[in-house]
Amino acid sequence: MSDPLSSLLLLLTAAVLMVVICRSAKLPAMFGYLLVGMLIGPHALALIASSDEATHLAEFGVVFLMFTLGLEFNLAKLNAMRRIVFGLGASQVVTTALLVCAGALLGGYDWKVGLALGGALAMSSTAMVSKLLTERAELNAPHGQNAIGILLFQDLAVVPLLIMLPVLGRPGEEMLWALGLAAVKIICVLVLLLNLGQRLMRPWFNLVAKQRSSELFMLNVLLVTLGIAWLTELAGLSLALGAFLAGMLIAETEYRYQVEDDIRPFRDLLLGLFFVTVGMNLDFSTLASQWWLVLLTLLFLLPGKVLLIALLARLFGNQPGPALRTGFALGQGGEFAFVLLALVSSAGLMPAGLNQVMIASVVLSMLATPFVLQYSDKLVLRFVASEWMSMAASLHQIAVRTMESQGHVVLCGYGRSGQSLARLLNQEDIPFFALDLDPEKVREAGAAGESVVFGDAAKREVLMAAGLMRARALVVTYADTHSALKILDLVHKLRPELPVIVRTHDDTDIDTLKAAGAAEVVAEILEGSLMLASHTLMMLGVPLNRVLKRIRSVREARYQMFRGFFRGTVEDQDDSDRPLPRLHTVLLVSGSAAIDKPIEALDLAGLHVEVKSLRRKNMRPMQPAADFVLNEGDVLVLLGEPEGLAAAEMLLLQGN
């Protein structure tokens, strides 16, 4: 297509469709952009010819990526993780680069090509690994800390590589002179920017922020980022390096997080275009003719790099299990590999065919990463015998702590919400047992005498050791839908009648969680808005009883379980000896008398018992009608006094 507007519309349409498909398949959007470029580029359907203008525009995506990396550059964080970052991380990058360089020399390539390839293949995907580890709640695990430390050093290693790679293609003495000149330039730029820049950046941003204009603030961020990048390019260095330095300077001000939020749309859009141009440059004919080299590179990246990182982690004192898990997390190539390969290609340092092979290998390795991590637990247990012993010891510790617990509440997560709930349970003399994946939090809470242990609540063995079969309820206190769905699936298989209460940020996933078996889903935004509304109404002079009535009506409409609970009669009886109504769950097992009968035929009203909710597999909880027919496996949530509940359970299960 020669018409620029038609080409742009085609690009946007293809990108939107492909990214939607990737999101639905739980794959990073990066894959969608790469696939779009591969399909519509000059080497496939040739719908869009690769253009210098698109490539130049895509380079700004790399600029903003390096800028956000500079924002995250934190000296305090580096100091706290210095052994992992500068020990394990440096060892990984240097060892990987040397091995690749040696392989390139054996393959007949120049050492410069080997060094460029080594730097590119030493990188892993920061965006992908951090996202996957967060979803798996493993950031605070030993292998999670190792992975983040290594990724941090890899990101830092990109900076000298950006300086060094463009000059490697020059003749010997000229190359040494260029490297020396680049080193002098970077020292001068660093001294000037970090000394003068730090003095000017804070007062300048303060002045801009005082104008209270979001447009002006955004323009200022763009000016500072692109301005410093332009200055470094004038000095003979790269735009990306200047953007990194700009991010470092702004990171020292109090505007860091606001800037990061404002710049993200620009970064993601332009970086997406960068990946599209990478895909457009992928030549399938070259890949078909050199498939064996792609396969060889993939074997180095996945099994080879995994084992190398695992071995280095062992040398730095890690146990075999965490060491191998670290390797599985970082075995792929990364987004910065594309940046470095594009830089090397533009410098004429690497043959075009070899560049195509490397791009394809990195893409395929990244595609495999989600599946590798998904099965990493099984692979570690298969290859590391001591992991069984470690898991058994951990489960034994949990089981011993819960051995005498009966009718307790299992808390999944012991953050602020979990601790607040635990205090209320203590006041009601209801025993609880909490699981958390933050070792420091577990240590501090354990020292204070709390019933908390380290364990992943999304694993069957951990839940069983926590006394799931003897528990009265289970509460997911952290807002992580992916993890909550895994827990709900396990509870449904092991104890389908057990009520599970799930916390979430907003209403987005309520239907999904309830269909998975959650008895109730508590959305933070709803509860926060109710408190905001109640305080506002009271400050405006609305009487307290009317405010409470309004809040009660909203809650009754939102939470099925609360319907009928906010009545004055119940509150008036709180101090009396008469038993108060309470909730009780009954699971209709095979042979139960109530199966295939409508609710109205059971005459539960005669026992002063009400069916508040019914849970059925793959259906969200509901309040059934009187003619609703019960099935095997249904879970009924009953409201009544203790005596009536006991009689109702006998009626449902035995018929008398």
Side-chain angles (χ1 to χ4, degrees), residues 51-296:
S51 65
D52 292 337
E53 290 79 6
T55 302
H56 289 318
L57 186 59
E59 286 178 1
F60 286 103
V62 181
V63 166
F64 286 114
L65 178 65
M66 291 299 294
F67 174 73
T68 54
L69 177 60
L71 285 175
E72 296 170 3
F73 185 81
N74 189 310
L75 290 175
K77 184 178 180 181
L78 279 179
N79 185 55
M81 301 179 65
R82 58 186 179 276
R83 187 171 184 275
I84 297 177
V85 175
F86 297 106
L88 183 56
S91 300
Q92 182 269 322
V93 171
V94 172
T95 306
T96 304
L98 290 177
L99 286 175
V100 174
C101 188
L105 290 174
L106 291 174
Y109 293 101
D110 187 74
W111 68 270
K112 300 172 186 176
V113 175
L115 186 59
L117 285 177
L121 296 184
M123 301 295 117
S124 301
S125 178
T126 302
M128 179 183 294
V129 173
S130 58
K131 181 176 184 296
L132 290 172
L133 288 178
T134 301
E135 288 179 351
R136 292 169 58 87
E138 293 177 350
L139 277 179
N140 290 316
H143 65 280
Q145 291 292 297
N146 284 344
I148 295 302
I150 293 173
L151 288 169
L152 189 53
F153 186 86
Q154 289 179 358
D155 293 342
L156 295 177
V158 170
V159 175
L161 288 171
L162 288 173
I163 299 170
M164 183 174 60
L165 292 182
V167 301
L168 285 181
R170 301 182 183 180
E173 291 185 2
E174 186 180 342
M175 181 187 68
L176 293 175
W177 171 256
L179 283 174
L181 183 60
V184 172
K185 286 179 179 179
I186 189 60
I187 291 172
C188 293
V189 169
L190 282 172
V191 170
L192 181 64
L193 287 177
L194 295 181
N195 281 304
L196 184 60
Q198 282 186 341
R199 296 176 184 176
L200 296 177
M201 195 64 66
R202 192 183 303 274
W204 175 250
F205 266 82
N206 286 337
L207 176 63
V208 172
K210 285 179 181 178
Q211 310 309 311
R212 299 186 181 277
S213 169
S214 57
E215 295 87 355
L216 178 62
F217 189 84
M218 188 69 248
L219 284 172
N220 181 59
V221 172
L222 294 174
L223 172 65
V224 170
T225 306
L226 298 178
I228 295 179
W230 176 70
L231 287 175
T232 55
E233 188 181 39
L234 282 182
L237 303 170
S238 66
L239 287 170
L241 178 59
F244 177 80
L245 294 174
M248 281 182 59
L249 291 174
I250 296 176
E252 297 299 320
T253 71
E254 59 268 34
Y255 302 102
R256 167 187 168 185
Y257 298 106
Q258 179 65 43
V259 168
E260 191 172 4
D261 287 339
D262 288 345
I263 210 74
R264 186 177 291 114
F266 293 92
R267 182 202 67 182
D268 292 345
L269 179 64
L270 294 172
L271 193 60
L273 183 56
F274 169 75
F275 287 122
V276 169
T277 58
V278 170
M280 290 173 68
N281 291 326
L282 196 62
D283 190 341
F284 293 96
S285 61
T286 304
L287 296 183
S289 62
Q290 300 198 49
W291 61 268
W292 59 273
L293 191 52
V294 174
L295 181 60
L296 188 64

Side-chain angles (χ1 to χ4, degrees), residues 596-617:
D596 296 329
K597 293 182 180 179
I599 292 177
E600 59 187 357
L602 300 173
D603 193 25
L604 293 174
L607 300 173
H608 303 290
V609 172
E610 179 185 354
V611 179
K612 296 300 298 179
S613 178
L614 182 139
R615 302 200 306 272
R616 179 175 288 178
K617 186 177 181 181

Side-chain angles (χ1 to χ4, degrees), residues 8 30 36 44 83 88 104 164 184 241 283 294 362 378 440 471 510 516-517 540 562 577:
L8 179 61
M30 180 192 311
V36 166
R83 187 171 184 275
L88 183 56
M164 183 174 60
V184 172
L241 178 59
D283 190 341
V294 174
V362 171
K378 294 180 180 179
E440 185 63 22
I510 285 180
L540 293 173
F562 282 2
D577 294 332

Side-chain angles (χ1 to χ4, degrees), residues 389-638:
M389 297 295 293
S390 176
M391 178 181 290
S394 177
L395 294 176
H396 176 72
Q397 179 193 9
I398 297 174
V400 167
R401 295 280 298 274
T402 61
M403 193 69 71
E404 298 180 359
S405 298
Q406 189 75 30
H408 60 290
V409 178
V410 178
L411 302 182
C412 304
Y414 203 62
R416 286 177 294 180
S417 298
Q419 291 172 41
S420 298
L421 175 56
R423 293 189 188 100
L424 292 174
L425 293 174
N426 276 330
Q427 292 172 8
E428 294 293 330
D429 292 325
I430 298 174
F432 71 89
F433 190 79
L435 299 164
D436 200 277
L437 283 171
D438 187 336
E440 185 63 22
K441 189 185 301 174
V442 170
R443 185 189 63 79
E444 292 178 355
E450 303 284 353
S451 299
V452 187
V453 296
F454 182 87
D456 185 357
K459 293 184 178 179
R460 181 183 186 277
E461 298 82 3
V462 174
L463 284 179
M464 292 294 289
L468 180 72
M469 306 309 291
R470 305 185 301 277
R472 289 171 60 185
L474 183 143
V475 185
V476 181
T477 68
Y478 52 84
D480 185 336
T481 301
H482 178 75
S483 178
L485 288 173
K486 291 169 67 176
I487 294 171
L488 287 166
D489 181 61
L490 290 170
V491 173
H492 181 79
K493 292 175 181 176
L494 298 169
R495 278 197 65 189
E497 81 283 6
L498 186 72
V500 181
I501 300 91
V502 180
R503 171 189 160 206
T504 185
H505 282 306
D506 50 41
D507 293 346
T508 307
D509 298 316
I510 285 180
D511 289 340
T512 303
L513 291 166
K514 285 202 168 186
E520 194 54 82
V521 182
V522 179
E524 292 177 350
I525 289 180
L526 173 65
E527 291 303 318
S529 64
L530 288 178
M531 288 298 98
L532 183 65
S534 64
H535 285 289
T536 302
L537 292 174
M538 289 173 64
M539 290 295 180
L540 293 173
V542 178
L544 176 61
N545 60 342
R546 195 185 304 172
V547 172
L548 293 176
K549 182 180 178 181
R550 297 289 185 196
I551 300 301
R552 182 182 69 203
S553 64
V554 174
R555 281 205 175 103
E556 287 181 353
R558 168 62 185 83
Y559 300 116
Q560 274 189 336
M561 298 292 186
F562 282 2
R563 290 175 185 167
F565 271 51
F566 297 93
R567 300 290 184 259
T569 54
V570 174
E571 294 173 0
D572 294 340
Q573 297 170 357
D574 193 50
D575 295 327
S576 70
D577 294 332
R578 180 181 174 185
L580 294 176
R582 63 186 63 192
L583 294 173
H584 179 65
T585 58
V586 178
L587 169 65
L588 299 184
V589 297
S590 177
S592 296
I595 292 176
D596 296 329
K597 293 182 180 179
I599 292 177
E600 59 187 357
L602 300 173
D603 193 25
L604 293 174
L607 300 173
H608 303 290
V609 172
E610 179 185 354
V611 179
K612 296 300 298 179
S613 178
L614 182 139
R615 302 200 306 272
R616 179 175 288 178
K617 186 177 181 181
N618 297 326
M619 290 176 57
R620 62 176 297 169
M622 58 182 173
Q623 188 164 21
D627 59 352
F628 188 87
V629 178
L630 300 174
N631 290 345
E632 179 184 343
D634 285 349
V635 179
L636 287 88
V637 182
L638 307 178

